[in-house]
Amino acid sequence: MSMTQAFLQEFDNEAKTTRRVLERVPADKFSWKPHPKSMSLGELALHTAMTPGMICGWACEEETNVGGGGKQPAAASVEEIVAAHDKSVAKMKETMGQLGDAGLMNSWKASSGGQTIFEMPKAVLIRSIALNHWYHHRGQLSVYLRLLDVPVPSIYGPSADENPFAAQA
């Protein structure tokens, strides 16, 4: 199995799980924050939905200017979040197909204000920022759901609300 195929196989499984988490986000709580410094639920959900496609898109560049930061966009509806996720998933798959294993070995760097922040092979960009960063935000989102008393779906095994391994009656 090629490196690209391995990434895509993992990505397909994780995308299905992430979609289940995003579908649970309650629209009437989009502005809720667990702490004043935290993103709102709507901001975090949309960021989580958009992350893999956005960051994988950076792998099509030799250098990405990541300066500016700015406020995260917030979602207007759960449908918008799920649609953003589906678009992001399609972008990730398309980009990985374009890059292939050889493209993943090329160098990429992030800069801000003309200064290099970090530089790495594109394979590391995909693993550490597109995927691991995505999983991190999905984990945050699952905590937000728990704090809002929304049933948390199974992610890597049973949650307190779902057990895919329990015998079905």
Side-chain angles (χ1 to χ4, degrees):
M1 176 183 292
S2 74
M3 181 172 34
T4 304
Q5 290 170 325
F7 276 138
L8 286 172
Q9 185 174 354
E10 174 183 346
F11 180 70
D12 280 341
N13 290 328
E14 298 295 339
K16 291 173 191 167
T17 300
T18 300
R19 194 176 206 279
R20 286 195 318 269
V21 172
L22 294 170
E23 290 171 339
R24 304 262 176 117
V25 172
D28 65 331
K29 302 287 186 192
F30 278 178
S31 63
W32 182 85
K33 294 180 175 189
H35 187 276
K37 292 181 180 180
S38 299
M39 281 189 266
S40 71
L41 176 64
E43 291 166 342
L44 179 59
L46 193 56
H47 181 73
T48 302
M50 296 169 59
T51 291
M54 176 184 62
I55 296 184
C56 192
W58 295 352
C60 294
E61 306 169 344
E62 301 305 313
E63 180 176 354
T64 303
N65 183 341
V66 295
K71 187 164 171 48
Q72 291 289 330
S77 69
V78 175
E79 293 77 20
E80 177 187 353
I81 293 168
V82 172
H85 168 76
D86 293 348
K87 182 178 178 181
S88 182
V89 166
K91 174 70 173 174
M92 174 80 163
K93 289 179 179 182
E94 174 188 338
T95 303
M96 291 298 291
Q98 291 171 353
L99 287 171
D101 286 3
L104 288 173
M105 302 288 48
N106 293 333
S107 185
W108 171 84
K109 70 178 175 178
S111 62
S112 180
Q115 293 189 0
T116 298
I117 299 171
F118 42 77
E119 190 167 353
M120 62 190 69
K122 291 180 180 186
V124 177
L125 169 67
I126 298 300
R127 163 57 54 216
S128 66
I129 303 178
L131 296 177
N132 293 351
H133 177 85
W134 187 41
Y135 306 152
H136 158 75
H137 284 306
R138 183 180 67 199
Q140 285 181 303
L141 192 54
S142 70
V143 171
Y144 278 37
L145 295 179
R146 174 62 66 225
L147 293 172
L148 290 168
D149 204 28
V150 174
V152 177
S154 168
I155 294 176
Y156 292 120
S159 73
D161 305 301
E162 255 182 37
N163 184 354
F165 307 113
Q168 301 296 318

